[in-house]
Structure formats: structure tokens, C-alpha cells
Amino acid sequence: RFASAGDDGIIFLWNAQTGEKLFELRGHTHKITAIAPFSLSDASEEKKHLILTASADRTVIVWDCTSGRQVQKVSCFHSTVKCLTVLQRLDVWLSGGSDLCVWNRKLDLLCKTSHLTDAGVSALIELPKNCVAAAVGKELIIFRLITSNDGSEGWNVLEVKRLVDHQDNILSLVSVNDFTFVTGSHVGELIVWDALDWTKQASECSFWDSSVHPDAQPEIKLSQSPNETSVQHLTSDEECVFAAVGKGIYVYNLQMKRVIACQRTAHESSVLHIEKLPNRQLISCSEDGSVRIWELREKQQLPAEPVATGFFNIWGFGRANKQANQAAKKMQENTPVYFLELVGDLIGHSSAVQMFLYFGELGLATCSADHLIILWKDGERESRLRSLTLFQKLAQNGDLQLK
């Protein structure tokens, strides 16, 4: 199942397999600004699947996904809640706006920070050692949750560090693993951080520079628009970070600390969301209404042989030639070159596709500013399943003659 939320303040729950609408959740009066799943499991009761929704009406509502009912509503916020994060291990959830608030499962406010800025917390990720990283404008603030001294179930939230390495507002945050997280900013800076001591490990800020990415086709431009270099979204696996930068997609290898592949004009307009799929594939969606599937492939390159004087050198008998070839081979083995190849284009939306959810064999759900949610299926797989069903029915009816 999945939930969709819109500017109309309504949340819908859907069956991802059939596309059936299960519930319509009405309770907010303004647009939805954040949504997060939240599971409860007591020894006395079975696991409850809940979702938290925040709205521009300055409320947060908890919904029961099984019944579609409103469980509880919190309306003590001084500003719009822009992000929600559940810390399942600590059994608390956090709301980010002009303050960072910590709540328990009963929706009791455990603690909160003092007023941060008018911009407020725009994104949150969980870090090890009971910490979270909060994007507040161009600053990254590390908070730690510590238990109260009075022995109660309460928590305190402490600011432990401010990271001010970004030159502009942080738009995207992604946790890679327990040791690494990555941030991206409005002016195209990507910074790799140590998740334990919050030090800067590496950075990339030359996405738009064609001299750094010689494989990309050069573009003639009179001026550089900031949106063209904005890191809109980040996703990762253990090996790479995949960045949606302006109209392009970039693959940053964490071990090599460099961009290993890019598609500078993956779409006609800004890429809003990307996701890594199995089998070295990526999906991206854009403001131009397109959804595209890419495959990360390794370039098959032959080492260039140096041109030397003399008959024996031309035919490869020379010692210098042999050494040069070995050096070229070694360099080629150490630095494989990759490229992103377009392998699929999903055409169906007429306006900006804001994001999508991937359900593996069940398909892909996309949502757009054209008010549509589209559920996409693997055509070959669906055709094969229909054929199998048909054969089974024919066999049951005795209409199938096997020879």
C-alpha cells in the first residue's frame, strides 16, 4: 500500500497492486507539507500501522492505516511543520519547523529546541549515537537526544554542532550508512560527511563545469541559472551517491571521491526525484512531466597505443611500447569509465512529476501536478502472467489439448 497527499489537504491510501483506493483521509484544511509512516507494537497488542501527516494549517494528525480513522490531532505548533522523522529504535518521532520537537507514541511533547530561524528545519535524517542532522537554511545542525535525569521516560534535545560549509540553502539530505551521510545545496554543492564525528570527508561543486566532465556534450549558454545547478534530490547505495542536479543526473563514487558518470541533460527541465533500482538501474522524474529509466554501464575502452618511430616499435616489438601499453592497461583497470544509458521512457503525465514510489515486481507509482497518480507495470511480466492465467483456465475447462 502507499499514501498520497496533496495541496487539497486530503490523503488517500491506495493498493499498489491493483490501484484501488482504500481510504480517503480528511482532517486538514490546508496543503500537506510532510508525511511519514509510523508503526506501533506493544507486547499486549498486534502491530499497528499509522501515518503522520503535517499541514500548512499548523497541525499534525495521526491516522490508522487499517481503518482509515483519525487517531489524534496535535495543534500546538507556532509554524508549519516542514518535515517528520520517526526514530523507531527510540520509539519517538520528530517534527521540524521553526522548532525541532520530540514526541512519544502517545503524542506527548517530550522536549523541543528554542526558536531556530524563520526559515526553520526543512529536512531531517537520523544519525548514529541518538543524533539527527537538521537542514536549517544553509546550516546543518546536529542535535543529540539524551534521556532526562529525573528517571522519567522524557528526553532532552541538545544542539551539539553547527556545520556551515554550504554556501547556500541545503535542499537534500541522504544517509548512506552508519558512517556516512551526504548533503546537497541550491548552488550545486555536494558534501560527504562522517556520520560519527560530523567532519567533512569530500565535496563536489563542479557539476556544471564541462571541463571536469569531458564526456558530456558542451552547451553554449549566455548565463548560468542557479536552478540549473541546484541539487534537488539525492539517493544512494553503499557504493555511490546519485544526485539530481538541475536537468541532469550525476553518479558520485564514494570510494573514488569523484563523479564517475553523468547525463547533464537527462530531462528538458529540473529533475525532481531519483531512485536507485536493482541491476544498476535508476529512475528519474522531472518538471517536464517525463519519467525515465537509466542503466549505469561500463564503457568498453581499448588503451590508446603510443605512436613511436622505427619499424619494430610500430609493430609492437619495442620495450617502450610494451611498458606504455602496460601502464595504459593498469590505468584503465584502476579507473573504469561509466555512462548512463536511457533504457525506458514512461509517457503519461502532462505536468511536473514530483516523485514516485518503486514497488519492485508490483510496479511503480508516480504522482504529478496534473492531479494524476499513475501505476505503471512491467509490460513483459504482466503479459507473461496473463498468458499463464489463460493457459490455467483453458486446462481447467479441458479446452487445452496437450500433444
Side-chain angles (χ1 to χ4, degrees):
R1 292 182 298 172
F2 68 97
S4 65
D7 288 352
D8 54 9
I10 305 168
I11 303 100
F12 292 109
L13 296 188
W14 307 88
N15 181 315
Q17 196 163 7
T18 62
E20 177 194 0
K21 184 166 74 177
L22 303 172
F23 295 110
E24 190 173 315
L25 312 179
R26 291 177 179 267
H28 289 294
T29 56
H30 291 71
K31 70 176 182 179
I32 307 298
T33 52
I35 186 165
F38 189 26
S39 296
L40 287 182
S41 50
D42 281 338
S44 58
E45 58 182 88
E46 60 185 45
K47 198 168 189 177
K48 270 188 182 178
H49 294 288
L50 309 172
I51 53 170
L52 300 164
T53 57
S55 165
D57 62 11
R58 299 186 182 183
T59 65
V60 169
I61 299 179
V62 185
W63 309 87
D64 187 330
C65 293
T66 312
S67 64
R69 290 178 184 164
Q70 184 175 310
V71 177
Q72 205 165 339
K73 188 172 188 173
V74 184
S75 14
C76 58
F77 297 99
H78 299 299
S79 66
T80 299
V81 171
K82 295 178 182 176
C83 52
L84 296 164
T85 300
V86 177
L87 306 184
Q88 204 75 47
R89 191 174 53 83
L90 301 179
D91 213 16
V92 297
W93 59 276
L94 281 65
S95 63
S98 57
D99 324 282
L100 179 71
C101 303
V102 183
W103 309 80
N104 66 9
R105 67 169 79 184
K106 296 170 187 170
L107 271 72
D108 300 322
L109 178 61
L110 303 177
C111 57
K112 70 173 187 173
T113 62
S114 56
H115 185 80
L116 296 166
T117 62
D118 291 333
V121 180
S122 58
L124 280 167
I125 53 164
E126 184 177 2
L127 298 178
K129 300 179 181 177
N130 295 356
C131 291
V132 291
V136 182
K138 62 176 78 170
E139 291 186 321
L140 196 64
I141 307 178
I142 309 295
F143 293 100
R144 176 174 277 134
L145 272 71
I146 57 170
T147 51
S148 296
N149 296 327
D150 56 9
S152 67
E153 289 185 12
W155 291 88
N156 287 323
V157 59
L158 295 178
E159 182 185 316
V160 289
K161 198 168 185 180
R162 286 197 179 217
L163 308 173
V164 290
D165 297 67
H166 279 291
Q167 301 301 307
D168 207 337
N169 287 345
I170 298 165
L171 297 184
S172 43
L173 278 171
V174 66
S175 176
V176 177
N177 50 39
D178 287 343
F179 310 103
T180 310
F181 71 99
V182 182
T183 55
S185 81
H186 185 64
V187 291
E189 307 156 301
L190 182 142
I191 298 180
V192 182
W193 304 91
D194 187 302
L196 298 172
D197 62 10
W198 320 302
T199 54
K200 185 175 169 181
Q201 298 294 299
S203 65
E204 173 74 50
C205 57
S206 52
F207 291 116
W208 57 90
D209 188 349
S210 58
S211 63
V212 179
H213 311 293
D215 291 335
Q217 289 183 340
E219 295 175 50
I220 299 166
K221 285 183 183 154
L222 296 174
S223 63
Q224 189 75 49
S225 163
N227 286 338
E228 292 183 4
T229 60
S230 179
V231 183
Q232 301 284 357
H233 188 237
L234 293 169
T235 189
S236 77
D237 56 16
E238 287 288 320
E239 194 180 339
C240 295
V241 173
F242 306 90
V245 185
K247 300 176 184 178
I249 301 170
Y250 293 77
V251 183
Y252 182 88
N253 186 285
L254 290 161
Q255 194 173 3
M256 297 181 195
K257 295 185 177 177
R258 67 179 181 87
V259 173
I260 58 166
C262 70
Q263 189 65 250
R264 295 184 74 196
T265 50
H267 293 265
E268 297 298 315
S269 192
S270 292
V271 182
L272 300 180
H273 194 81
I274 52 173
E275 205 66 58
K276 172 79 167 58
L277 305 188
N279 305 321
R280 300 180 79 82
Q281 288 191 333
L282 278 171
I283 296 186
S284 60
C285 64
S286 166
E287 277 183 352
D288 63 16
S290 61
V291 181
R292 289 178 174 167
I293 304 171
W294 308 87
E295 194 168 300
L296 185 64
R297 293 183 179 170
E298 196 169 330
K299 280 185 182 174
Q300 299 298 317
Q301 281 191 332
L302 292 169
E305 294 189 9
V307 178
T309 55
F311 177 81
F312 288 102
N313 274 341
I314 290 171
W315 287 95
F317 295 117
R319 190 177 173 188
N321 187 281
K322 190 177 179 183
Q323 287 173 340
N325 275 347
Q326 284 174 343
K329 273 185 184 173
K330 192 172 183 183
M331 188 173 137
Q332 183 193 7
E333 284 166 10
N334 293 343
T335 57
V337 180
Y338 296 91
F339 67 102
L340 285 167
E341 183 167 328
L342 182 64
V343 293
D345 214 334
L346 310 183
I347 300 164
H349 287 292
S350 60
S351 191
V353 181
Q354 289 140 336
M355 69 169 289
F356 54 83
L357 293 171
Y358 176 68
F359 295 101
E361 290 186 343
L362 292 180
L364 178 81
T366 56
C367 71
S368 165
D370 62 10
H371 307 173
L372 287 180
I373 289 174
I374 299 180
L375 197 61
W376 308 84
K377 300 282 186 180
D378 181 333
E380 285 183 25
R381 184 174 177 275
E382 291 297 309
S383 180
R384 192 165 62 247
L385 290 173
R386 283 196 292 271
S387 299
L388 285 171
T389 308
L390 177 63
F391 279 123
Q392 285 166 359
K393 282 183 180 175
L394 289 170
Q396 285 168 5
N397 298 338
D399 296 334
L400 191 64
Q401 299 292 324
L402 295 172
K403 293 183 182 179

